[in-house]
Amino acid sequence: MIKRYYNELTEEFDKQQTNPDADKWAIFSAALNRELREYTSDMNPKHPLHHPAFHAFRLWQDYNAKLRGDKLSDEWEMRVAESRLVLNVLK
């Protein structure tokens, strides 16, 4: 589930970079994040997918900040790269 979330999130973010559509992003985000929240709601912090789930949600937050035009911190690119690295190794 988390790998699919990551793939869909990255694909939509790339689309938004070339053709921004705030309404589409909001609807996409609400649907995708609800599914992730439901998936992780009862997850024990020691569960092997707890750490990747954290990175999946953090990646969405970072993408969302960029699309909103927020002033990005110097660590933004490093956080995105770290989250993508963690999520890329999932099967």
Side-chain angles (χ1 to χ4, degrees):
M1 187 279 161
I2 295 175
K3 184 67 171 182
R4 183 180 54 77
Y5 175 95
Y6 167 68
N7 290 336
E8 290 179 22
L9 178 64
T10 301
E11 181 180 320
E12 184 61 29
F13 177 73
D14 292 343
K15 288 178 190 175
Q16 290 288 327
Q17 292 288 84
T18 57
N19 188 18
D21 182 341
D23 291 337
K24 185 176 180 186
W25 176 255
I27 292 167
F28 169 82
S29 293
L32 198 64
N33 285 332
R34 179 178 182 194
E35 188 177 349
L36 181 63
R37 281 193 308 274
E38 289 173 357
Y39 178 75
T40 61
S41 65
D42 295 328
M43 190 179 283
N44 182 320
K46 293 182 181 186
H47 189 282
L49 291 178
H50 187 269
H51 185 67
F54 164 80
H55 279 280
F57 189 67
R58 186 171 82 170
L59 184 62
W60 172 82
Q61 290 175 316
D62 287 333
Y63 281 172
N64 200 44
K66 181 164 182 142
L67 292 174
R68 281 193 321 242
D70 293 356
K71 184 177 186 221
L72 303 176
S73 69
D74 294 337
E75 295 85 24
W76 185 87
E77 287 186 23
M78 185 172 29
R79 277 196 323 272
V80 168
E82 177 185 9
S83 292
R84 290 183 71 139
L85 178 66
V86 167
L87 297 168
N88 267 323
V89 298
L90 289 176
K91 295 180 179 169

